[in-house]
Amino acid sequence: MHLRTVQRTRPFMSRSTLIAIALALAAVVNGALPAMAQDPKRQERTITLSATGSASAVPDFATIMVGVMTEGDTANVALAANTKAMRQVVDTLKSRGLASKDLQTSDFSVQPRYEYKQDGTPPKINGYQVMNTLHIRVRALETLGEILDEVVQVGSNQINGIQFGVTKADELTDAARREAVTKATKRAKLYTEAAGVTLGPVLRIEEQAFNSGPRPLMATKAIAAESAVPIEAGEQSLEIAVTMTWTIE
């Protein structure tokens, strides 16, 4: 009796067939990944809310730009007149108790003054103008009106503005930040409790600041001519807006 051995062989796949199968599998996997990423169940749920906080304080200092503008037929004449007037202004301020650190020259210029004719000839220099501007800080606000009056009397003919400020502005800002975050968190808890979900950790905090204090007061020689110019500092206030994002569970 003869036994015959039967050998089974695996079907042969060509290289091109294997490549086609691999590409098909890759297409299926790549198509499935975006679908999984877009699955709402897999996305992180968040809540975003905004709130504002504010803090106010009475200003305790003021900054002023005072200047002297003089003209003369020559630069030397205009400069000499300007130097004399500005020295009187500085001496007056120091006699009022202002420290040297609160006085700073912010601008100084000497410019020719031109005469223009209508006959088309080139303009000619007919004099010079000298401008000297001093930036001052007044810490005793109760003396501010008298200081304005005195600097005008001794020679200042330019007062560009008055800006009030608070020395401890950082503390004012931090108080507004705390209030804004407290309000936003309280509001987020209210919404999540009403929706039946749990408020998770904070993911992001964004801030925007707004100064809502008194606007700069423009002053001129005309309004400073009266003795003891009335000045009202008002109240300096600052507002912080925050936008916060939390996870929800």
Side-chain angles (χ1 to χ4, degrees):
M1 182 175 65
H2 297 281
L3 296 176
R4 184 172 59 181
T5 302
V6 178
Q7 185 178 4
R8 296 182 179 181
T9 59
R10 295 180 180 179
F12 174 76
M13 293 187 189
S14 65
R15 183 178 179 182
S16 60
T17 302
L18 291 174
I19 293 175
I21 293 173
L23 292 175
L25 289 173
V28 171
V29 173
N30 290 335
L33 288 177
M36 293 174 63
Q38 294 174 3
D39 187 354
K41 295 182 179 179
R42 295 179 178 270
Q43 291 181 348
E44 188 174 43
R45 299 189 300 171
T46 62
I47 180 174
T48 300
L49 291 171
S50 298
T52 58
S54 61
S56 301
V58 176
D60 54 10
F61 74 89
T63 57
I64 316 170
M65 302 290 287
V66 300
V68 175
M69 190 274 289
T70 55
E71 294 182 335
D73 293 337
T74 66
N76 287 338
V77 171
L79 183 59
N82 193 283
T83 300
K84 179 181 179 181
M86 182 54 77
R87 184 176 292 116
Q88 291 175 333
V89 170
V90 172
D91 290 344
T92 298
L93 292 171
K94 288 185 176 180
S95 68
R96 273 285 180 176
L98 272 70
S100 297
K101 65 179 182 180
D102 292 329
L103 306 176
Q104 183 179 45
T105 299
S106 59
D107 183 52
F108 179 81
S109 63
V110 179
Q111 297 180 346
R113 186 181 60 200
Y114 291 95
E115 178 183 0
Y116 295 89
K117 295 184 179 181
Q118 297 181 352
D119 57 4
T121 58
K124 296 176 60 178
I125 295 176
N126 68 349
Y128 289 84
Q129 182 184 85
V130 178
M131 183 68 183
N132 193 347
T133 304
L134 189 66
H135 183 277
I136 70 174
R137 173 172 288 197
V138 179
R139 301 178 188 274
L141 288 182
E142 66 276 6
T143 66
L144 184 55
E146 296 176 358
I147 288 176
L148 285 176
D149 176 59
E150 290 185 16
V151 296
V152 169
Q153 290 185 22
V154 298
S156 175
N157 51 15
Q158 300 287 323
I159 300 180
N160 296 323
I162 303 173
Q163 180 68 56
F164 295 100
V166 178
T167 301
K168 297 181 178 179
D170 290 342
E171 296 180 9
L172 196 67
T173 303
D174 288 345
R177 289 188 177 112
R178 291 189 185 94
E179 182 179 323
V181 171
T182 298
K183 285 183 177 179
T185 303
K186 181 179 179 181
R187 195 172 299 168
K189 289 180 178 179
L190 186 150
Y191 275 110
T192 52
E193 289 175 4
V197 294
T198 302
L199 186 67
V202 177
L203 295 178
R204 185 172 62 252
I205 302 177
E206 298 177 358
E207 174 188 297
Q208 188 174 8
F210 305 92
N211 278 313
S212 56
R215 297 179 180 178
L217 170 64
M218 299 305 295
T220 64
K221 185 174 180 179
I223 68 170
E226 298 181 6
S227 180
V229 179
I231 299 295
E232 297 295 334
E235 188 177 65
Q236 190 81 22
S237 61
L238 185 140
E239 189 174 86
I240 296 288
V242 295
T243 300
M244 302 178 64
T245 300
W246 298 260
T247 61
I248 53 176
E249 302 170 358

